[in-house]
Amino acid sequence: MDVDYTIEALLDLDGAVIYQELGYWIVIEARIVKPSIRVPHGIKYSLTLHNKSGTRILGMDNAHPIKKATAYGKAPNNSDHIHTLNGSIIPYDFINAAKLLEDFFDLADAFMNEVH
């Protein structure tokens, strides 16, 4: 795997709470871990969008493996995935930290724009 020079930007956001319009808020957590099959890029992360009552309505993380096959194919070896409001878990193809942030904010914006 190529060196990801954008990981430092993600790590700098660890612990950030970013308030959005209409009472939504985003929490970003990220830390370095030993690379493994489940976390080949060596970064453990959780990016979540919450509504004003605190319910997580969108999340991207690698906190646990995807244990079963999904509509997108067999369960992947790595743990990167998206949690949706309806409880679905969708495998996510981690490219680098910058793309992760871009994809998360695009999904969060799309959700907030769709709801309001």
Side-chain angles (χ1 to χ4, degrees):
M1 178 175 276
D2 293 331
V3 174
D4 179 1
Y5 295 102
T6 66
I7 285 179
E8 288 302 320
L10 178 60
L11 293 173
D12 286 345
L13 290 170
D14 181 45
V17 177
I18 304 168
Y19 295 96
Q20 306 292 296
E21 295 179 6
L22 303 171
Y24 291 100
W25 44 284
I26 290 169
V27 177
I28 299 175
E29 298 173 347
R31 63 184 170 89
I32 296 288
V33 296
K34 183 178 178 180
S36 66
I37 292 172
R38 284 190 44 228
V39 185
H41 41 71
I43 188 89
K44 188 166 181 91
Y45 63 87
S46 173
L47 295 85
T48 54
L49 173 67
H50 303 263
N51 64 17
K52 59 185 168 187
S53 67
T55 302
R56 180 185 73 181
I57 55 177
L58 174 69
M60 293 178 77
D61 67 53
N62 60 356
H64 58 84
I66 299 171
K67 295 181 181 177
K68 61 181 182 177
T70 67
Y72 302 93
K74 69 177 187 141
N77 288 332
N78 66 26
S79 296
D80 302 294
H81 58 274
I82 301 167
H83 292 269
T84 64
L85 181 59
N86 69 7
S88 296
I89 296 177
I90 303 166
Y92 176 72
D93 185 22
F94 184 97
I95 296 170
N96 61 41
K99 182 72 171 141
L100 172 72
L101 288 165
E102 178 183 350
D103 290 346
F104 175 76
F105 281 102
D106 285 350
L107 286 171
D109 286 345
F111 179 87
M112 291 182 288
N113 288 332
E114 183 180 309
V115 172
H116 298 284

